[in-house]
Amino acid sequence: MNRRNLFTSALALGAVSLMPNMAEAKKAKKFVEGTFPEGFIWGAATAAYQVEGAWNEDGKGESIWDRFTLAPGKILNGDTGKVACDSYHKYLEDVALLKAMNLKSYRFSTAWTRIQPDGTGPANQKGLDYYSRLTDALLEAGIRPLPTLYHWDLPQELEDRGGWPVRDTAQRFADYADIMARALGDRIENWSLFNESKAFTQIGYWQGAWAPGRKDPLAFFKATHTVNLAHGMGFKAMKAVNPKLKIGSVFDVSPQIASTESEADKAAAVFMDKLSNLWFVQSVLTGAYPEGVLPFDKQNELLGFLPGDNTLMQADLDFIGINYYSRTRVWDAQKPSGVPGLLLPDTEWAFGDHEKTDFGWDIYPQGFYDILKRMQAVTGNRPIEITENGAAYNIGPDATGAIHDAKRIAYYKGHLDALSRAINDGVPVRGYHAWSLMDNFEWAAGYSQRFGLTYVDFANDQKRTIKDSGHWYGEVAKANRTF
């Protein structure tokens, strides 16, 4: 870590020896906000459907997002990911961007439908070849590949069979995980199983705003259990191929803040912490769901929980991925959920009159520190990687072609400073990935929200231009500290 030499004070006091106990000296060093440990990993993140394009090339099958984006009114401006950033063809340009920013880790996702077009059966070699080429290019550039197996793009054929609410989907995922470990496990050591299980099950199966667009709370809870089974089964499948692989998963978390000091609102915040922050990570690590969410006498029925499932879903993850964007306000509402015996609080993600991103999301760096301390209490001493953190600011190029996104720089600096405090206070974070390497398809918002460190001109052959924030972030990565 780049820290100040503290022997100066000893010299000022007339010290005659410069042979201190090194452990004590290290402990005595004053923490400097915005500095990071030696060897800290700096990276950036993307996801397959959001950047790859080539939606039906080289044997790729149809995913639920391929289907969902074609439904009228689902995506802003009728946007789709058919072309996106065209990373399928421009992946070498993406690797060059990472290298230009001094980054040493690339978190991407593999598209299940490139590997198994309908979610079952033998692998599509052309799909494996693409990720093999990407992997080799990253390694040649000195960049660590960090693939996520599932970033929301379920094969449509599996959805037609019932999707994530159906238990068999967990076995299909385990088969897919086995294929990937065998194909790329010789070159890729670190893997993530899922991205944001809460988000894609809740918004896809309960709220219906994302693929596959279902509005069924009972299907949601069954989907959460299948996904947790898939965690355990996928973990075990990959370890069986190569026990040296380091396998984690990515969880989206947010501090749940009681709206008032009333006991009812405080209890509602505790409830939402269990449902939003713990439902997946605690269940996967321990094999048991948090108590007090579903009615005890109906939990197994509502989840489809069978004898032995606690062992099936449990996985001693090697590391934990954390995605953080903002905090959540909670107040007691006792509103019907559509699930027998389950009443829900109200929640709000953007509140107050303080500054927000262009997407309307709260800017709250202290929440980053708070949620990391909270998750450390659950995950223990497992290494943590920040797998997503970032902000949408939609400024475009000026007359010279430069993108002066000062607000994004301020956002990153505030959050990285908070992260450095958390690390200094004992949270075992070893790496950080900015969301995102480049502007991309942002789900229901289409191309309207730009999170990238790199500007993508979607009307001009997806031309890439590093923004001011990308240049700043590259200097942070090089110096291992903020400015």
Side-chain angles (χ1 to χ4, degrees):
M1 181 181 290
N2 298 321
R3 293 183 177 178
R4 187 180 304 161
N5 188 326
L6 295 185
F7 294 141
T8 307
S9 59
L11 292 171
L13 294 172
V16 295
S17 173
L18 290 181
M19 299 295 292
N21 179 297
M22 294 308 294
E24 292 182 1
K26 184 177 180 181
K27 185 176 180 180
K29 285 183 179 180
K30 183 179 178 182
F31 166 64
V32 178
E33 185 176 81
T35 59
F36 291 84
E38 183 178 352
F40 191 77
I41 303 167
W42 294 96
T46 63
Y49 189 79
Q50 294 180 270
V51 300
E52 286 181 359
W55 72 284
N56 62 353
E57 291 188 33
D58 291 336
K60 180 185 175 297
E62 183 186 26
S63 78
I64 56 174
W65 275 94
D66 291 321
R67 176 77 61 87
F68 186 74
T69 56
L70 298 181
K74 297 296 185 181
I75 310 298
L76 188 65
N77 300 321
D79 293 337
T80 75
K82 287 186 174 182
V83 178
C85 305
D86 198 23
S87 287
Y88 189 75
H89 300 109
K90 295 175 176 287
Y91 69 93
L92 291 177
E93 294 184 32
D94 301 342
V95 174
L97 291 172
L98 292 158
K99 194 168 183 179
M101 294 183 212
N102 305 305
L103 303 182
K104 299 299 182 183
S105 181
Y106 182 38
R107 180 186 173 233
F108 59 97
S109 76
T110 55
W112 191 344
T113 52
R114 290 201 191 282
I115 309 306
Q116 293 177 297
D118 65 0
T120 63
N124 171 33
Q125 190 59 48
K126 288 185 177 180
L128 290 176
D129 288 346
Y130 167 67
Y131 294 113
S132 182
R133 293 193 299 271
L134 173 59
T135 296
D136 288 345
L138 290 167
L139 293 174
E140 185 177 350
I143 298 166
R144 179 192 67 166
L146 181 60
T148 300
L149 291 179
Y150 187 80
H151 201 127
W152 308 354
D153 45 2
L154 185 72
Q156 182 63 44
E157 176 66 24
L158 293 185
E159 175 60 25
D160 291 343
R161 299 182 188 183
W164 284 111
V166 174
R167 287 176 64 94
D168 183 64
T169 306
Q171 183 59 60
R172 303 284 71 76
F173 176 81
D175 293 344
Y176 162 51
D178 173 88
I179 290 171
M180 297 308 297
R182 293 181 188 279
L184 296 176
D186 61 328
R187 284 161 287 165
I188 300 179
E189 180 181 16
N190 293 274
W191 298 77
S192 293
L193 296 166
F194 284 89
N195 178 75
E196 295 189 355
S197 301
K198 177 190 70 179
F200 77 79
T201 53
Q202 177 179 318
I203 306 177
Y205 286 95
W206 191 340
Q207 297 174 355
W210 288 351
R214 291 162 65 175
K215 297 182 179 181
D216 183 349
L218 295 173
F220 158 75
F221 277 107
K222 281 191 165 57
T224 67
H225 185 55
T226 304
V227 170
N228 280 335
L229 290 172
H231 268 103
M233 295 165 68
F235 179 89
K236 295 174 182 70
M238 298 187 80
K239 288 286 190 177
V241 173
N242 184 352
K244 293 183 180 181
L245 297 181
K246 304 298 183 185
I247 303 167
S249 202
V250 173
F251 304 93
D252 52 320
V253 292
S254 173
Q256 305 294 309
I257 300 170
S259 182
T260 71
E261 290 298 310
S262 74
E263 293 303 315
D265 283 350
K266 290 179 181 178
V270 170
F271 174 90
M272 287 307 300
D273 179 59
K274 293 177 181 179
L275 181 57
S276 292
N277 294 331
L278 305 185
W279 191 255
F280 291 95
V281 64
Q282 178 181 307
S283 306
V284 169
L285 293 179
T286 68
Y289 286 96
E291 296 180 356
V293 176
L294 290 175
F296 177 77
D297 60 338
K298 296 182 179 180
Q299 176 168 293
N300 287 356
E301 176 187 351
L302 291 170
L303 294 175
F305 197 103
L306 299 178
D309 279 2
N310 56 325
T311 301
L312 274 179
M313 71 182 187
Q314 189 172 6
D316 187 14
L317 297 176
D318 294 301
F319 67 93
I320 303 295
I322 294 294
N323 292 356
Y324 171 78
Y325 289 97
S326 194
R327 58 181 171 173
T328 304
R329 182 170 67 171
V330 184
W331 61 96
D332 182 55
Q334 297 292 300
K335 62 183 181 183
S337 65
V339 175
L342 177 63
L343 298 175
L344 291 176
D346 267 331
T347 61
E348 186 178 18
W349 211 30
F351 56 93
D353 57 2
H354 55 280
E355 188 177 1
K356 294 176 173 57
T357 71
D358 285 356
F359 213 173
W361 295 359
D362 275 350
I363 301 172
Y364 190 60
Q366 180 60 37
F368 200 11
Y369 177 97
D370 294 342
I371 198 62
L372 285 170
K373 294 296 289 184
R374 172 72 183 109
M375 299 313 295
Q376 181 188 19
V378 178
T379 62
N381 293 322
R382 288 177 179 81
I384 292 173
E385 296 212 23
I386 308 307
T387 36
E388 287 184 28
N389 175 238
Y393 290 105
N394 301 323
I395 188 170
D398 66 9
T400 70
I403 301 96
H404 302 302
D405 55 339
K407 288 186 176 181
R408 181 175 285 106
I409 293 174
Y411 177 98
Y412 275 124
K413 176 169 171 47
H415 285 76
L416 288 172
D417 287 350
L419 175 59
S420 74
R421 294 197 302 272
I423 294 171
N424 185 66
D425 289 344
V427 182
V429 179
R430 71 183 185 193
Y432 176 93
H433 298 78
W435 184 269
S436 172
L437 174 63
M438 67 191 100
D439 299 333
N440 54 52
F441 177 84
E442 282 295 335
W443 310 113
Y447 297 99
S448 68
Q449 299 299 319
R450 293 180 177 268
F451 281 82
L453 297 166
T454 302
Y455 183 86
V456 178
D457 187 344
F458 296 107
N460 185 23
D461 194 30
Q462 285 72 34
K463 179 182 177 183
R464 289 130 161 83
T465 304
I466 297 177
K467 304 175 186 179
D468 284 359
S469 61
H471 292 298
W472 176 86
Y473 185 60
E475 290 304 308
V476 169
K478 183 178 181 179
N480 209 31
R481 64 180 178 89
T482 62
F483 299 92

